[in-house]
Amino acid sequence: MQVPVLVEQISTHVFRAKAWDIVAEGQSAEDAVTALRQLLRGGKYVAILDLPPTNPFLAMAGDLKDDPLFDDWVAAMKTYREEKEADPSY
């Protein structure tokens, strides 16, 4: 597995290696990367989670199916749409 690592010099003799939120420091860039590698091999690892995409409107889906006004509302929308589409200036 390949892990992208950000290595930066913090001060004259301090380097920081960072992969995600895992951080290690050393006196050289190589020392910092080695320390980071040891942290990752010491039981820390990165896992990939597959989450289904969420649509906030799905939580409301079906809320009106048992509402007695729903059929009237749909009929009113249909009538309005037909009136608008029949209008030549539409």
Side-chain angles (χ1 to χ4, degrees), residues 13-78:
H13 297 290
V14 179
F15 289 80
R16 179 179 292 153
K18 182 176 181 181
W20 302 285
D21 288 336
I22 303 169
V23 179
E25 293 183 356
Q27 292 182 348
S28 68
E30 293 79 20
D31 290 344
V33 171
T34 300
L36 182 66
R37 184 178 291 116
Q38 290 173 349
L39 283 174
L40 289 171
R41 287 185 177 161
K44 293 184 180 184
Y45 62 95
V46 177
I48 304 297
L49 299 177
D50 289 325
L51 299 175
T54 58
N55 183 336
F57 296 106
L58 290 179
M60 298 182 299
D63 283 353
L64 298 175
K65 71 176 183 163
D66 296 324
D67 191 320
L69 296 176
F70 180 73
D71 293 332
D72 294 337
W73 178 56
V74 171
M77 286 192 309
K78 180 180 178 188

